[in-house]
Amino acid sequence: MLLCIDCGNTNTVFSVWDGTRFLCTLRTATDHQRTADQYYVWLSTLMAHHRIDAQITQSIISSTVPRVVFNLRVLCDRYFNTRPLVVGRPDCLLPHPPRVDEGTQVGPDRLVNTAGAYDRHGGDLIVVDFGTATTFDVVAHDGAYVGGVIAPGVNLSLEALHRAAAALPHVDVTKPQRVIGTNTVACMQSGVFWGYIGLVRGICERIRAEHERPMRIIGTGGLASLFSQGDVLFDRIEDDLTMHGLTVIHQYNKDHGTL
């Protein structure tokens, strides 16, 4: 079985893939001080809870936090006796290499989302990922990542608003009943919710105009489903897009003899 690990700035997600489906998906806060031993105690306990008895034989890692990669590699090596494939490293082949400015290092999460989205939906896509940052990944007709947009994440914007304005409270992200708020919390929720609806719609319209081809919009990330309630933003929502992309990249490397 394949252990897929996606380490983001806020959360690290582990999924166990048996070749046809994900047996479980487990999430923990990203912490660069967490050791391989601590990861294993947590992970093995939850795998036992999900009654996953089969042995992990392969692993793949995507991480936007470089300091965490070392302990994740030790976890895979020490406890599962596997040499993990790390997306973004020279020895990790991509089904469709990115076409960006020379010397540009593309985030592993964006490469993985591109691979997963192209495998499921073909090319000419905009992948909108609601993470710590809100990213827009442009997938060309042949599956290559050709650029995108990075905007502040929803929760990051709310936290900044709360910290910078002493009179404004911390609020949860939710769809407000009305656009015009009649109290402080409702005003903030409306600003964030409808503001991001406008941001996604506006950026996607401009990407489509520059790309000069019909494009489908794929939403992913924890808040994609919430924002789909506000307007018809997405053609599809894929909750497991990143994990699916990891399986695609792993299989590609396996087929090409790098594993």
mmCIF file of all heavy atoms in Angstrom, residues 158-175:
data_model
loop_
_atom_site.group_PDB
_atom_site.id
_atom_site.type_symbol
_atom_site.label_atom_id
_atom_site.label_comp_id
_atom_site.label_asym_id
_atom_site.label_seq_id
_atom_site.Cartn_x
_atom_site.Cartn_y
_atom_site.Cartn_z
ATOM 1 N N LEU A 158 -8.884 36.783 7.611
ATOM 2 C CA LEU A 158 -9.685 37.028 8.812
ATOM 3 C C LEU A 158 -8.799 37.272 10.031
ATOM 4 O O LEU A 158 -9.072 38.157 10.845
ATOM 5 C CB LEU A 158 -10.604 35.839 9.077
ATOM 6 C CG LEU A 158 -11.973 35.862 8.404
ATOM 7 C CD1 LEU A 158 -12.694 34.545 8.657
ATOM 8 C CD2 LEU A 158 -12.808 37.028 8.919
ATOM 9 N N GLU A 159 -7.746 36.478 10.152
ATOM 10 C CA GLU A 159 -6.832 36.627 11.287
ATOM 11 C C GLU A 159 -6.126 37.975 11.248
ATOM 12 O O GLU A 159 -5.953 38.643 12.275
ATOM 13 C CB GLU A 159 -5.823 35.489 11.295
ATOM 14 C CG GLU A 159 -4.933 35.431 12.522
ATOM 15 C CD GLU A 159 -5.702 35.152 13.803
ATOM 16 O OE1 GLU A 159 -6.774 34.538 13.735
ATOM 17 O OE2 GLU A 159 -5.203 35.579 14.875
ATOM 18 N N ALA A 160 -5.706 38.396 10.061
ATOM 19 C CA ALA A 160 -5.039 39.690 9.911
ATOM 20 C C ALA A 160 -5.990 40.825 10.266
ATOM 21 O O ALA A 160 -5.601 41.802 10.921
ATOM 22 C CB ALA A 160 -4.537 39.847 8.479
ATOM 23 N N LEU A 161 -7.247 40.708 9.860
ATOM 24 C CA LEU A 161 -8.248 41.728 10.166
ATOM 25 C C LEU A 161 -8.474 41.816 11.668
ATOM 26 O O LEU A 161 -8.555 42.910 12.249
ATOM 27 C CB LEU A 161 -9.557 41.385 9.448
ATOM 28 C CG LEU A 161 -10.651 42.449 9.408
ATOM 29 C CD1 LEU A 161 -10.162 43.702 8.691
ATOM 30 C CD2 LEU A 161 -11.892 41.894 8.716
ATOM 31 N N HIS A 162 -8.545 40.668 12.313
ATOM 32 C CA HIS A 162 -8.760 40.625 13.765
ATOM 33 C C HIS A 162 -7.567 41.211 14.526
ATOM 34 O O HIS A 162 -7.732 41.973 15.478
ATOM 35 C CB HIS A 162 -8.997 39.173 14.189
ATOM 36 C CG HIS A 162 -8.941 38.950 15.668
ATOM 37 N ND1 HIS A 162 -9.798 39.565 16.554
ATOM 38 C CD2 HIS A 162 -8.128 38.166 16.419
ATOM 39 C CE1 HIS A 162 -9.511 39.168 17.789
ATOM 40 N NE2 HIS A 162 -8.498 38.330 17.730
ATOM 41 N N ARG A 163 -6.363 40.902 14.076
ATOM 42 C CA ARG A 163 -5.166 41.363 14.781
ATOM 43 C C ARG A 163 -4.884 42.844 14.546
ATOM 44 O O ARG A 163 -4.401 43.540 15.438
ATOM 45 C CB ARG A 163 -3.955 40.539 14.341
ATOM 46 C CG ARG A 163 -3.988 39.114 14.846
ATOM 47 C CD ARG A 163 -2.688 38.401 14.551
ATOM 48 N NE ARG A 163 -2.688 37.042 15.077
ATOM 49 C CZ ARG A 163 -1.647 36.236 15.054
ATOM 50 N NH1 ARG A 163 -0.509 36.659 14.516
ATOM 51 N NH2 ARG A 163 -1.725 35.020 15.545
ATOM 52 N N ALA A 164 -5.181 43.328 13.356
ATOM 53 C CA ALA A 164 -4.835 44.704 13.012
ATOM 54 C C ALA A 164 -5.869 45.717 13.500
ATOM 55 O O ALA A 164 -5.543 46.891 13.680
ATOM 56 C CB ALA A 164 -4.665 44.838 11.499
ATOM 57 N N ALA A 165 -7.094 45.267 13.697
ATOM 58 C CA ALA A 165 -8.158 46.182 14.136
ATOM 59 C C ALA A 165 -8.637 45.735 15.513
ATOM 60 O O ALA A 165 -9.323 44.712 15.639
ATOM 61 C CB ALA A 165 -9.308 46.187 13.125
ATOM 62 N N ALA A 166 -8.287 46.482 16.537
ATOM 63 C CA ALA A 166 -8.539 46.073 17.919
ATOM 64 C C ALA A 166 -10.015 45.861 18.216
ATOM 65 O O ALA A 166 -10.384 45.033 19.058
ATOM 66 C CB ALA A 166 -7.963 47.118 18.872
ATOM 67 N N ALA A 167 -10.882 46.590 17.537
ATOM 68 C CA ALA A 167 -12.316 46.515 17.838
ATOM 69 C C ALA A 167 -13.012 45.376 17.106
ATOM 70 O O ALA A 167 -14.191 45.107 17.360
ATOM 71 C CB ALA A 167 -12.995 47.845 17.479
ATOM 72 N N LEU A 168 -12.300 44.697 16.197
ATOM 73 C CA LEU A 168 -12.946 43.651 15.402
ATOM 74 C C LEU A 168 -12.655 42.280 15.996
ATOM 75 O O LEU A 168 -11.498 41.936 16.250
ATOM 76 C CB LEU A 168 -12.469 43.703 13.949
ATOM 77 C CG LEU A 168 -12.808 44.994 13.186
ATOM 78 C CD1 LEU A 168 -12.299 44.916 11.762
ATOM 79 C CD2 LEU A 168 -14.317 45.254 13.212
ATOM 80 N N PRO A 169 -13.690 41.466 16.217
ATOM 81 C CA PRO A 169 -13.500 40.153 16.831
ATOM 82 C C PRO A 169 -13.029 39.117 15.813
ATOM 83 O O PRO A 169 -13.023 39.359 14.601
ATOM 84 C CB PRO A 169 -14.913 39.803 17.322
ATOM 85 C CG PRO A 169 -15.809 40.466 16.325
ATOM 86 C CD PRO A 169 -15.113 41.764 15.957
ATOM 87 N N HIS A 170 -12.648 37.948 16.319
ATOM 88 C CA HIS A 170 -12.360 36.826 15.433
ATOM 89 C C HIS A 170 -13.692 36.160 15.083
ATOM 90 O O HIS A 170 -14.503 35.884 15.965
ATOM 91 C CB HIS A 170 -11.443 35.813 16.113
ATOM 92 C CG HIS A 170 -11.125 34.634 15.248
ATOM 93 N ND1 HIS A 170 -10.180 34.682 14.257
ATOM 94 C CD2 HIS A 170 -11.650 33.383 15.218
ATOM 95 C CE1 HIS A 170 -10.121 33.516 13.648
ATOM 96 N NE2 HIS A 170 -11.007 32.715 14.218
ATOM 97 N N VAL A 171 -13.937 35.904 13.804
ATOM 98 C CA VAL A 171 -15.198 35.292 13.389
ATOM 99 C C VAL A 171 -14.916 34.065 12.538
ATOM 100 O O VAL A 171 -13.845 33.924 11.943
ATOM 101 C CB VAL A 171 -16.081 36.286 12.595
ATOM 102 C CG1 VAL A 171 -16.417 37.503 13.442
ATOM 103 C CG2 VAL A 171 -15.402 36.712 11.293
ATOM 104 N N ASP A 172 -15.893 33.173 12.491
ATOM 105 C CA ASP A 172 -15.794 31.997 11.644
ATOM 106 C C ASP A 172 -16.220 32.341 10.227
ATOM 107 O O ASP A 172 -17.017 33.255 10.004
ATOM 108 C CB ASP A 172 -16.694 30.882 12.182
ATOM 109 C CG ASP A 172 -16.209 30.353 13.519
ATOM 110 O OD1 ASP A 172 -14.985 30.343 13.739
ATOM 111 O OD2 ASP A 172 -17.059 29.957 14.341
ATOM 112 N N VAL A 173 -15.687 31.579 9.278
ATOM 113 C CA VAL A 173 -16.073 31.779 7.885
ATOM 114 C C VAL A 173 -17.393 31.047 7.643
ATOM 115 O O VAL A 173 -17.491 29.840 7.862
ATOM 116 C CB VAL A 173 -15.011 31.225 6.917
ATOM 117 C CG1 VAL A 173 -15.400 31.519 5.476
ATOM 118 C CG2 VAL A 173 -13.650 31.814 7.235
ATOM 119 N N THR A 174 -18.393 31.770 7.223
ATOM 120 C CA THR A 174 -19.690 31.175 6.932
ATOM 121 C C THR A 174 -20.421 32.036 5.927
ATOM 122 O O THR A 174 -20.073 33.206 5.728
ATOM 123 C CB THR A 174 -20.529 31.020 8.216
ATOM 124 O OG1 THR A 174 -21.722 30.299 7.925
ATOM 125 C CG2 THR A 174 -20.899 32.379 8.797
ATOM 126 N N LYS A 175 -21.436 31.468 5.292
ATOM 127 C CA LYS A 175 -22.235 32.239 4.350
ATOM 128 C C LYS A 175 -23.248 33.073 5.133
ATOM 129 O O LYS A 175 -24.085 32.520 5.850
ATOM 130 C CB LYS A 175 -22.968 31.322 3.370
ATOM 131 C CG LYS A 175 -23.824 32.088 2.370
ATOM 132 C CD LYS A 175 -24.623 31.146 1.478
ATOM 133 C CE LYS A 175 -25.519 31.940 0.532
ATOM 134 N NZ LYS A 175 -26.344 31.047 -0.318
#
